[in-house]
Amino acid sequence: AQSVTQLDSHVSVSEGTPVLLRCNYSSSYSPSLFWYVQHPNKGLQLLLKYTSAATLVKGINGFEAEFKKSETSFHLTKPSAHMSDAAEYFCVVRREFTGYSSASKIIFGSGTRLSIRP
Amino acid sequence: NAGVTQTPKFQVLKTGQSMTLQCAQDMNHEYMSWYRQDPGMGLRLIHYSVGAGITDQGEVPNGYNVSRSTTEDFPLRLLSAAPSQTSVYFCASTLGGATDTQYFGPGTRLTVL
């Protein structure tokens, strides 16, 4: 079975300080892991993805995430927050579609709302 | 490419009414999905399709029907709307397997009174 847990529902940081959004997953198989960002009243946009290549994944807008199998974590980081980073962030775990199997799911975390203080 | 398009953007229904949320993609993606987004619950998969003529249930399928007669279109039908179906609905498509990026539509905000 798969699951994903975003450990913080809300994170607030000052502009120019580091960002850490935490995500833990469980998966019976080697997962693919994604981070998506959703700005207010917008659809979801891919930030980055892990697909069993390099464990440190670089994404758009200066974000990166590190896959740590031993800790079953895929935390999202950014060295210096910008006001435009204020949004909701979703960690996603996914395995291969297998046709009619109900296990062929994409599981979204419950989301972390990132606020940036001036 | 227009990507993934959804119509309408907003909709208000009365309990018991029916409607169809439209979703189309022009990227020739095989896989398409419908999600609903509710506060504090992330996105939950309603139905998905792995190709024209093939659909399957996701995590929360009750009260919703889908069909996939073409690669491009994946409509979601509410046969008898209920207040519990008030939500934001997202359609997504992806080219292939688990490592491929999902592309999301802009969403439909549905209110059922």
Side-chain angles (χ1 to χ4, degrees), chain A residues 29 94-105, chain B residues 31 48 50 54 56 96-98:
Chain A
Y29 299 83
R94 183 175 174 188
R95 56 172 286 193
E96 185 67 51
F97 279 101
T98 55
Y100 288 88
S101 167
S102 63
S104 304
K105 292 180 186 176
Chain B
Y31 299 119
Y48 67 95
V50 298
I54 306 172
D56 203 356

Side-chain angles (χ1 to χ4, degrees), chain A residues 86-98:
Chain A
E88 184 129 22
Y89 293 79
F90 293 96
C91 183
V92 178
V93 61
R94 183 175 174 188
R95 56 172 286 193
E96 185 67 51
F97 279 101
T98 55

Side-chain angles (χ1 to χ4, degrees), chain A:
Chain A
Q2 296 175 143
S3 68
V4 58
T5 303
Q6 291 184 242
L7 297 163
D8 307 292
S9 60
H10 183 213
V11 170
S12 179
V13 303
S14 296
E15 190 175 19
T17 64
V19 175
L20 170 63
L21 305 184
R22 298 181 294 165
C23 173
N24 286 105
Y25 70 92
S26 68
S27 178
S28 304
Y29 299 83
S30 294
S32 295
L33 295 161
F34 303 76
W35 276 99
Y36 283 85
V37 60
Q38 183 181 29
H39 287 94
N41 300 311
K42 300 287 186 186
L44 281 79
Q45 179 185 18
L46 179 71
L47 270 180
L48 50 80
K49 63 180 178 181
Y50 166 75
T51 59
S52 74
T55 56
L56 182 63
V57 182
K58 293 188 184 300
I60 62 172
N61 301 334
F63 285 94
E64 61 182 36
E66 186 171 8
F67 173 72
K68 292 187 176 180
K69 187 174 182 178
S70 61
E71 299 177 11
T72 61
S73 68
F74 190 56
H75 301 335
L76 182 71
T77 60
K78 183 173 180 176
S80 177
H82 191 273
M83 294 300 291
S84 61
D85 294 328
E88 184 129 22
Y89 293 79
F90 293 96
C91 183
V92 178
V93 61
R94 183 175 174 188
R95 56 172 286 193
E96 185 67 51
F97 279 101
T98 55
Y100 288 88
S101 167
S102 63
S104 304
K105 292 180 186 176
I106 300 170
I107 307 295
F108 277 73
S110 57
T112 298
R113 183 164 60 90
L114 177 63
S115 300
I116 311 296
R117 300 187 299 270

Side-chain angles (χ1 to χ4, degrees), chain B residues 2-100:
Chain B
V4 180
T5 57
Q6 290 183 240
T7 57
K9 287 192 179 342
F10 302 94
Q11 183 70 50
V12 178
L13 292 178
K14 294 181 180 177
T15 297
Q17 286 186 313
S18 63
M19 80 159 295
T20 299
L21 307 185
Q22 300 291 346
C23 175
Q25 53 90 10
D26 61 359
M27 297 174 283
N28 203 32
H29 286 172
E30 288 294 327
Y31 299 119
M32 297 185 73
S33 312
W34 274 104
Y35 297 87
R36 59 177 291 172
Q37 182 179 29
D38 301 293
M41 302 186 75
L43 275 73
R44 292 180 292 167
L45 183 65
I46 304 171
H47 286 283
Y48 67 95
S49 169
V50 298
I54 306 172
T55 64
D56 203 356
Q57 296 181 350
E59 187 182 355
V60 288
N62 292 342
Y64 307 95
N65 280 353
V66 292
S67 59
R68 184 95 179 271
S69 56
T70 66
T71 299
E72 293 78 20
D73 300 298
F74 191 43
L76 178 73
R77 296 185 188 83
L78 285 71
L79 298 179
S80 179
S84 61
Q85 293 178 305
T86 294
S87 188
V88 181
Y89 292 84
F90 288 98
C91 178
S93 74
T94 184
L95 180 61
T99 62
D100 287 338

